[in-house]
Amino acid sequence: MTKKLPSIISKISPALALLAVVLIWAAATGFSLVPSFMLPTPRAVARAFIGDFPTLMRHASVTLTEAFLGLLLGVLLAFLLATLMDRFPTLYKALYPLLVITQTVPTIAVAPLLVLWMGFGMAPKITLVVITTFFPIAVSLLDGYRSADPDAVSLLRSMGAGRVKIFLYIKFPSALGSFFAGLKVSASYAVVGAVIAEWLGGFEGLGVYMTRVQKAYAFDKMFSVILFITLISLLLMWGVTGVKALAMPWERKEKEKKK
Amino acid sequence: MLISPDTALLEAHSISKSFGENAVLRDVDFTLKKGELVCLLGVSGAGKTTLFNILSGLMLPDSGQVLLNGVDITGHPGKISYMLQKDLLLPYRTVIDNVALPLMIHGVPKARAREKAASYFQRFGLQGTEKKYPKQLSGGMRQRAALLRTYLASDGVALLDEPFSALDTITKSAMHAWYLDIMREIDLTTLFITHDMDEAIKLSDRICILSGRPGNIICEIPITVPRPRPQDFLLTQEFLDYKRKIAENLTV
């Protein structure tokens, strides 16, 4: 019994912290410490969220399509490049600095160029998502490949395994853990990347909708969009965790044993 | 070459290896007969692991040859099996898939490889662990699984680098008895490295002492006590005589 209480507290503490933030927000707006045109009350945001829900969903379907396609392409590209870079050390040396540079170029600065080059359709958005998601995955895959136990590689070589089999049996499975860590980060980047690209021009999508409500000074709607994007990102990250549990059943077994 | 070639299973002929300026092995000659259990003893840095890497084909010697059944296998891994110091069971594969791995690498289809591996589980005391992951096994079981995998990696010659060193004394002693049994049963020839003199005397048919810089096999001590060796063999004068003889030869 004495042991249970702290564990309950530790479980609900994040919820309590969230509640505290909402309460402070409600107090600040409710007692007019902050004018309501600058910061709407939680209730107004909730009302806007419910009222706007069909519109939000319609725009979200566009944004999510862009995010998913971008993420998919980003993962494929990262996988291809990381695998080649791991195989050929010269390529690794040549491309690694370039990889870091693609990450330090600010997304917001590139987005207008992409719109100029590719127009107002989905192409520039998907491209931007690819640019932002590609790096964390490529780097985590590279680190993962390198984390493979050299003794395990020797063991497989002593069994007569060639490069391909060493990759399949040792390198790739060793990299899975850090791959999913990278994917989790990238999944949240993907949505944000798509939204930022939509700000700069387009016909549909959560980013386009955001700029519209912003220009109308509809702050309650603005906040409800932000809330919605946060929820989508969270859901995506949970999704990645779920896929990871399916793809790496041995990790689950270890936890079960510890219990 | 005192032994006639028809009884020699694994032969090393004047193996030499240097790393840069540092000569590790010079003209090492060595023969392993079928069914033998031979121990390679030597101080750290005497080149035991280098010799194993060369015998297993992972490393090319500067000069010399490795023959298996008279066929040159120098620099050709996959012919004899090599168990490294750690058990190296892959954490992301189930026990059965770990054990069947060498078969899969040799191109046996997955289902057949699993089937063949499973047929040994009973004999290796691993029944019921097929679908588990290595982390869920005890130290002794992991070691037996690694030994079964080593056995399946070749047709009967195993190089073991300190196979029992990570186990506690009681498990180790049980593993010794078990290994001697299984070795006879499955017709395995073993060359193993150890730092433990007692272990070497208890298990081996013959002890080869690798010493000097560059390393060479300076003497071979046959252990003539018949098997199974009694439990109190470790307390006999004979045992101590062997131990003294080894200690005299094991100089840095």
Side-chain angles (χ1 to χ4, degrees):
Chain A
M1 271 313 275
T2 44
K3 238 185 170 177
K4 264 186 183 162
L5 195 63
S7 96
I8 289 171
I9 290 176
S10 83
K11 259 178 202 154
I12 61 168
S13 60
L16 285 177
L18 190 66
L19 190 70
V21 171
V22 175
L23 279 178
I24 292 169
W25 175 14
T29 48
F31 297 112
S32 300
L33 298 174
V34 183
S36 66
F37 67 89
M38 282 177 75
L39 184 65
T41 60
R43 187 188 299 202
V45 172
R47 208 186 297 127
F49 186 82
I50 293 163
D52 258 5
F53 198 71
T55 321
L56 285 175
M57 284 303 275
R58 184 164 51 82
H59 286 292
S61 72
V62 176
T63 307
L64 275 177
T65 308
E66 292 157 1
F68 270 124
L69 283 174
L71 190 59
L72 189 72
L73 282 172
V75 169
L76 286 178
L77 201 66
F79 178 77
L80 203 70
L81 198 72
T83 308
L84 283 174
M85 280 168 77
D86 185 67
R87 168 68 183 81
F88 302 104
T90 324
L91 205 63
Y92 181 89
K93 273 187 207 140
L95 291 186
Y96 199 84
L98 215 66
L99 259 182
V100 177
I101 290 170
T102 64
Q103 194 55 19
T104 46
V105 172
T107 318
I108 311 216
V110 188
L113 272 176
L114 292 175
V115 174
L116 279 177
W117 289 335
M118 299 176 175
F120 292 102
M122 274 195 179
K125 284 101 185 175
I126 294 171
T127 309
L128 196 78
V129 174
V130 171
I131 293 172
T132 45
T133 58
F134 158 78
F135 178 81
I137 298 174
V139 169
S140 56
L141 265 175
L142 275 171
D143 288 347
Y145 289 153
R146 294 188 159 225
S147 76
D149 186 346
D151 285 340
V153 174
S154 292
L155 176 76
L156 255 80
R157 279 187 55 218
S158 84
M159 292 175 181
R163 274 183 206 284
V164 176
K165 279 177 178 159
I166 287 173
F167 179 79
L168 282 179
Y169 293 133
I170 305 281
K171 291 217 160 188
F172 183 65
S174 303
L176 270 182
S178 69
F179 165 74
F180 278 110
L183 187 63
K184 206 168 168 180
V185 175
S186 286
S188 61
Y189 281 11
V191 179
V192 176
V195 169
I196 289 177
E198 284 166 354
W199 281 351
L200 297 154
F203 309 107
E204 266 183 312
L206 288 172
V208 177
Y209 184 65
M210 257 181 121
T211 50
R212 271 183 213 155
V213 294
Q214 184 199 2
K215 277 173 190 152
Y217 294 98
F219 277 26
D220 51 348
K221 291 189 177 184
M222 184 84 181
F223 270 79
S224 76
V225 184
I226 295 172
L227 186 69
F228 195 69
I229 293 170
T230 311
L231 287 177
I232 290 176
S233 296
L234 276 176
L235 278 175
L236 272 177
M237 283 164 83
W238 277 338
V240 172
T241 312
V243 174
K244 183 187 171 185
L246 285 178
M248 302 175 72
W250 57 93
E251 297 240 308
R252 232 175 13 201
K253 291 276 164 63
E254 264 171 52
K255 275 184 202 152
E256 274 167 24
K257 198 198 167 194
K258 271 171 199 156
K259 276 179 192 168
Chain B
M1 303 302 113
L2 296 168
I3 300 137
S4 63
D6 56 336
T7 55
L9 184 59
L10 182 70
E11 297 165 83
H13 291 308
S14 48
I15 302 275
S16 298
K17 180 78 187 175
S18 326
F19 296 106
E21 295 286 291
N22 182 17
V24 180
L25 298 171
R26 180 167 299 157
D27 289 333
V28 175
D29 279 305
F30 169 79
T31 309
L32 192 63
K33 286 180 281 183
K34 192 159 175 49
E36 259 192 323
L37 202 171
V38 174
C39 169
L40 197 63
L41 257 175
V43 293
S44 300
K48 299 184 297 276
T49 303
T50 306
L51 182 59
F52 264 35
N53 281 332
I54 290 170
L55 291 176
S56 67
L58 284 180
M59 200 184 264
L60 270 174
D62 297 338
S63 63
Q65 269 187 316
V66 181
L67 304 181
L68 178 69
N69 284 318
V71 180
D72 189 350
I73 57 159
T74 321
H76 289 285
K79 308 288 182 204
I80 55 181
S81 41
Y82 184 5
M83 183 166 139
L84 292 93
Q85 285 180 23
K86 302 180 257 178
D87 61 52
L88 283 177
L89 294 173
L90 306 175
Y92 40 79
R93 293 177 82 85
T94 54
V95 176
I96 185 93
D97 283 349
N98 261 292
V99 172
L101 187 63
L103 300 171
M104 293 184 198
I105 287 171
H106 287 150
V108 179
K110 206 172 189 174
R112 286 242 326 271
R114 280 184 178 154
E115 208 176 294
K116 184 171 181 199
S119 68
Y120 287 95
F121 267 55
Q122 185 84 37
R123 246 188 285 182
F124 276 71
L126 292 166
Q127 61 277 17
T129 64
E130 288 87 344
K131 298 249 162 65
K132 290 191 174 172
Y133 286 98
K135 281 266 163 70
Q136 298 169 289
L137 302 189
S138 67
M141 274 186 160
R142 289 168 62 99
Q143 213 66 13
R144 283 200 298 270
L147 281 165
L148 174 53
R149 181 178 62 186
T150 311
Y151 167 63
L152 290 174
S154 78
D155 300 322
V157 191
L159 306 178
L160 312 179
D161 192 348
E162 298 192 35
F164 309 118
S165 62
L167 302 172
D168 62 88
T169 329
I170 295 166
T171 314
K172 197 186 214 176
S173 178
M175 285 290 288
H176 286 159
W178 171 81
Y179 189 73
L180 290 173
D181 271 353
I182 198 89
M183 217 187 116
R184 209 178 34 231
E185 207 176 307
I186 59 181
D187 200 16
L188 191 66
T189 306
T190 311
L191 175 64
F192 78 110
I193 291 177
T194 184
H195 282 119
D196 182 345
M197 272 193 236
D198 293 2
E199 183 176 76
I201 302 169
K202 200 173 149 193
L203 296 179
S204 315
D205 294 309
R206 189 152 54 96
I207 295 174
C208 294
I209 296 180
L210 189 69
S211 184
R213 266 166 213 273
N216 204 333
I217 293 176
I218 55 161
C219 81
E220 295 195 5
I221 302 167
I223 310 288
T224 50
V225 180
R227 272 196 254 274
R229 289 168 188 164
Q231 203 64 62
D232 59 0
F233 171 55
L234 269 74
L235 306 170
T236 59
Q237 187 56 43
E238 211 177 358
F239 182 86
L240 289 176
D241 289 342
Y242 279 127
K243 206 164 172 174
R244 186 171 302 122
K245 203 170 168 189
I246 295 168
E248 281 164 6
N249 284 294
L250 259 187
T251 43
V252 185

